[in-house]
Amino acid sequence: MRPVRFTISAREGNARAGVLSTPHGDIQTPAFVPVGTKAGVKGILPAQLETLGSQVVLANTYHLYLQPGEKLVEDSGGLGKFMGFAGPTITDSGGFQVFSLGAGFGKSFQTVREDDKNRKEEGVTLYDEDVQTQHGQLAIIDEEGVTFTSHIDGSLHRFTPERSVEIQHALGADIFFAFDECTAPDAPYEYQKEAMYRTHRWADRSLKAHRQNIEANQHQGLYGIGQGGQFADLRKESTKAIVDMGFDGFGLGGSFSKKYGESMLPLALEALVDVPEDMPRHGLGVGEPGDLLLGIAHGVDTFDCVSPTRHGRHGVLYTKRGTLNITNEKYKSDLTTLSELCLPGTLPSGSEQFTLAYVAHQFRSGEMLGPIIASLHNLAFLTRLVDGAREAIEQGTFAEYQQNFARDYYG
C-alpha cells in the first residue's frame, strides 16, 4: 500500500473536496500549506498552526541542507519532531531555490552541454571565474545535476536528483518532490524545452533513487513536477510525461509570479486534464487569493506559498476588500478591528479585537509583535479562504463562492 493515498468525497465541475491520507494523518482537501522554510513558519509557533487550522507544513530542502544539515534533522526524529509539529509534513526538492537563489533566475547561471565538456581541452572557459565568487549568484547545470554557491557564505555545493532524494529521505517528510530544473519565467522556447526534458530525466532518476530505499517507500510519498514555462504545448507534454512515470502525486512547477508579466498558472492548470482523477495535485508557490480559487476550480488539491508571512512581515494584510498596507498614515488612528476585515471564523482566539491602529503602532514603533500579528492574520485568512472553498464544494456552491469572493476582493 502506498504511504500517500487520495480519495475524492465531493465534486463541483473540476473542483473537488477529498482526503489526502499520509503516515502522520489525513489532510482535508483542498488545503493551504504554510511554508516553514527552515523548519519554522516565520513568527508563528507550531502550536499556533493547529489553532489557525493549518493541517500540514512544507519545509525547504535547500535551506535545511545548508542549515542545520539533514543529518541533525534525521537524528532528531525527522522534520515533524524537529520542529514540534505533529501533523503531516512536506519538503520541496530544492530545485527552485538552487535556480532562484543560486542563479538569480538566469542572471548568472550557465548550462554545460556535452560539446562544452569536449572543448575544455581547447581552453574554453565554461563560466566566468569571477562570477563564481559571487555568493548566491552562480548555478552551473549539467546533465548530472547542478553545482551552486550557498547564499550564506558562497561555498560551492552540488545537487543531483539522487542527492536531493537522499537529503529528503533524511528529512523524513510524508510527501516530497522530485528534483527539477526551475527555469526563468521569460526563458525562450528552445531553452524551456531543453530544461523540460532534463527535468523529465531527473524525475525518472529521482523515482528510481526513491524506490531503491525500501524504508522510505513505506513512509514517504514522492510527487513529480511538470514544467514547460509559458508554452502550452510544453506544459501538456510535461504533464503527460510526469504522470506516466507513476509518481504518488503531481506538482505544478514554475514561477507563477506576475512580476514577469502574465502568470503562467492558467497554462499549467489547463494541462491538468491529463492528470488522473485519483492523483493528488499540488500548486507549488501558489498563494494569491484569486489564484488559489482558480486552482481549486481546476482540480488542484493543495497549495503552498510564503506570501502570507512575507506580506505580514512587511505590513501588508489581506482583507475581504483586498490588501492594505498597515504602515500607511491613514491607519494610525483607525479603530477598525481585524475581525471586521477578515473572513468569518478566521482569527485565533485573542487576536480578533486588535485594531488597525494598534497593529500600525506596533509596526511604527519597531515592535516584533506587529509582523507576528500580521502574519497570523494573513495565514488565517488564506487558510479560511481555502477551507471555505472546500465547504462550498461539498454544498455544491463553489462557483458562487468563487464569484462572490472575486467581486469583493478585486472589485
Side-chain angles (χ1 to χ4, degrees):
M1 181 180 292
R2 286 187 168 184
V4 175
R5 301 174 303 282
F6 180 65
T7 57
I8 298 172
S9 57
R11 291 183 177 87
E12 183 182 334
N14 291 323
R16 70 259 194 99
V19 180
L20 186 59
S21 299
T22 79
H24 284 89
D26 292 345
I27 304 168
Q28 304 295 319
T29 65
F32 181 76
V33 183
V35 176
T37 302
K38 301 175 183 179
V41 180
K42 287 183 171 61
I44 299 175
L45 290 170
Q48 291 177 301
L49 293 173
E50 184 177 353
T51 303
L52 294 173
S54 301
Q55 305 175 74
V56 51
V57 176
L58 180 143
N60 188 285
T61 296
Y62 168 91
H63 286 284
L64 291 178
Y65 158 75
L66 292 176
Q67 290 180 328
E70 73 275 13
K71 183 64 166 57
L72 179 61
V73 177
E74 183 178 32
D75 290 345
S76 301
L79 175 61
K81 286 189 177 180
F82 183 60
M83 66 179 292
F85 183 75
T89 54
I90 303 174
T91 51
D92 58 16
S93 70
F96 180 85
Q97 284 69 34
V98 165
F99 292 103
S100 62
L101 294 176
F105 264 137
K107 293 177 182 176
S108 60
F109 79 84
Q110 296 192 20
T111 302
V112 180
R113 299 176 176 83
E114 289 302 316
D115 58 339
D116 291 325
K117 293 178 181 179
N118 296 335
R119 292 164 61 201
K120 282 183 179 179
E121 296 178 359
E122 302 172 20
V124 175
T125 301
L126 297 180
Y127 56 91
D128 186 343
E129 293 182 357
D130 291 334
V131 175
Q132 185 174 358
T133 65
Q134 298 177 17
H135 297 186
Q137 289 298 307
L138 175 71
I140 303 175
I141 310 164
D142 57 52
E143 181 59 30
E144 290 303 308
V146 186
T147 302
F148 61 95
T149 57
S150 163
H151 72 285
I152 299 172
D153 58 11
S155 57
L156 208 59
H157 301 266
R158 183 163 176 81
F159 272 8
T160 64
E162 292 79 10
R163 181 66 178 123
S164 174
V165 169
E166 180 183 36
I167 294 169
Q168 293 187 90
H169 280 167
L171 296 176
D174 297 271
I175 297 169
F176 70 104
F177 284 88
F179 192 60
D180 66 317
E181 178 176 348
C182 187
T183 55
D186 56 353
Y189 183 88
E190 285 306 315
Y191 189 80
Q192 292 283 13
K193 186 175 182 179
E194 177 185 334
M196 178 191 73
Y197 287 137
R198 183 160 39 246
T199 286
H200 296 171
R201 294 190 293 272
W202 287 358
D204 181 63
R205 287 166 56 188
S206 295
L207 196 56
K208 288 177 180 176
H210 179 50
R211 286 173 174 166
Q212 290 172 1
N213 188 321
I214 298 175
E215 176 70 16
N217 265 272
Q218 295 174 344
H219 299 98
Q220 294 180 270
L222 176 58
Y223 282 28
I225 300 176
Q227 290 288 358
Q230 68 273 40
F231 302 102
D233 61 327
L234 297 184
R235 283 283 178 181
K236 188 173 183 64
E237 181 178 354
S238 186
T239 299
K240 287 183 177 179
I242 295 298
V243 165
D244 289 344
M245 291 183 191
F247 285 96
D248 296 299
F250 179 82
L252 287 79
S255 173
F256 301 120
S257 170
K258 292 184 174 65
K259 68 180 180 180
Y260 295 96
E262 286 301 312
S263 170
M264 297 185 297
L265 182 59
L267 287 177
L269 293 173
E270 288 173 10
L272 290 179
V273 296
D274 295 311
V275 179
E277 273 278 291
D278 60 350
M279 191 177 205
R281 302 95 176 259
H282 182 87
L284 289 152
V286 179
E288 169 66 23
D291 286 349
L292 290 172
L293 296 184
L294 180 64
I296 292 170
H298 283 78
V300 181
D301 306 296
T302 52
F303 307 84
D304 77 86
C305 195
V306 299
S307 62
T309 52
R310 177 176 288 170
H311 283 331
R313 293 194 304 278
H314 292 89
V316 177
L317 276 68
Y318 299 119
T319 81
K320 293 180 290 186
R321 304 291 177 179
T323 58
L324 64 81
N325 191 324
I326 198 67
T327 62
N328 287 347
E329 187 76 15
K330 62 182 179 180
Y331 299 117
K332 285 179 64 176
S333 57
D334 192 329
L335 298 181
T336 303
T337 63
L338 293 181
S339 60
E340 294 177 67
L341 302 173
C342 215
L343 300 172
T346 296
L347 293 169
S349 177
S351 60
E352 306 98 325
Q353 297 308 312
F354 284 135
T355 64
L356 294 182
Y358 178 73
V359 181
H361 161 67
Q362 294 297 316
F363 270 92
R364 287 175 175 275
S365 58
E367 293 293 327
M368 62 190 299
L369 184 57
I372 290 174
I373 294 173
S375 296
L376 279 167
H377 170 90
N378 286 347
L379 185 52
F381 187 96
L382 293 191
T383 300
R384 182 55 197 156
L385 174 66
V386 176
D387 286 352
R390 180 174 66 247
E391 294 165 6
I393 294 169
E394 293 170 343
Q395 296 166 8
T397 59
F398 173 73
E400 180 182 359
Y401 179 85
Q402 182 182 17
Q403 182 180 13
N404 290 343
F405 177 83
R407 179 198 63 215
D408 295 340
Y409 190 83
Y410 297 104

